């Protein structure tokens, strides 16, 4: 399930595969961005500065469950995925 914040359709953000087994890729259309991963309780699990427009994220060290992925450009969140 994914949810988009206003402006995400033109942001070029892709997260795949979804669902996954703990490893997934975030693509930001070549833009520099910040990707934050939060647990279902709201705790920040990981944060990545993505300079190349593409980041592979491995959450295999985390407990099984639902995590929220937020992608931000210039401190403005544009994409949230669950």
């Amino acid at each position: 399930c994914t949810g988009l914040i206003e402006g995400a359709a033109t942001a070029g953000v892709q997260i795949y595969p979804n669902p996954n087994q703990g490893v997934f890729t975030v693509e930001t259309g070549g833009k520099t961005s910040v990707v934050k991963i939060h647990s279902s309780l709201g705790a920040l699990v990981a944060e990545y500065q993505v300079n190349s427009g593409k980041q592979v994220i491995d959450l295999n060290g985390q407990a099984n469950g639902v995590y929220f992925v937020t992608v931000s450009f210039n401190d403005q969140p544009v994409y949230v995925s669950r």
Side-chain angles (χ1 to χ4, degrees), residues 20-24 36-39 45-48 56-69:
N20 61 67
Q21 298 297 317
V23 179
F24 58 95
K36 294 182 181 181
I37 314 295
H38 289 87
S39 71
V45 173
E47 182 172 341
Y48 299 87
V56 175
I57 297 175
D58 185 346
L59 296 181
N60 279 323
Q62 301 295 323
N64 290 339
V66 175
Y67 291 88
F68 296 89
V69 179

Side-chain angles (χ1 to χ4, degrees), residues 31-43:
K31 300 174 187 173
T32 299
S33 63
V34 174
V35 177
K36 294 182 181 181
I37 314 295
H38 289 87
S39 71
S40 59
L41 298 176

Side-chain angles (χ1 to χ4, degrees), residues 2-37:
T2 59
L4 302 178
I5 296 174
E6 185 176 327
T10 59
V13 175
Q14 296 181 9
I15 298 178
Y16 57 88
N18 188 11
N20 61 67
Q21 298 297 317
V23 179
F24 58 95
T25 301
V26 176
E27 287 194 32
T28 61
K31 300 174 187 173
T32 299
S33 63
V34 174
V35 177
K36 294 182 181 181
I37 314 295

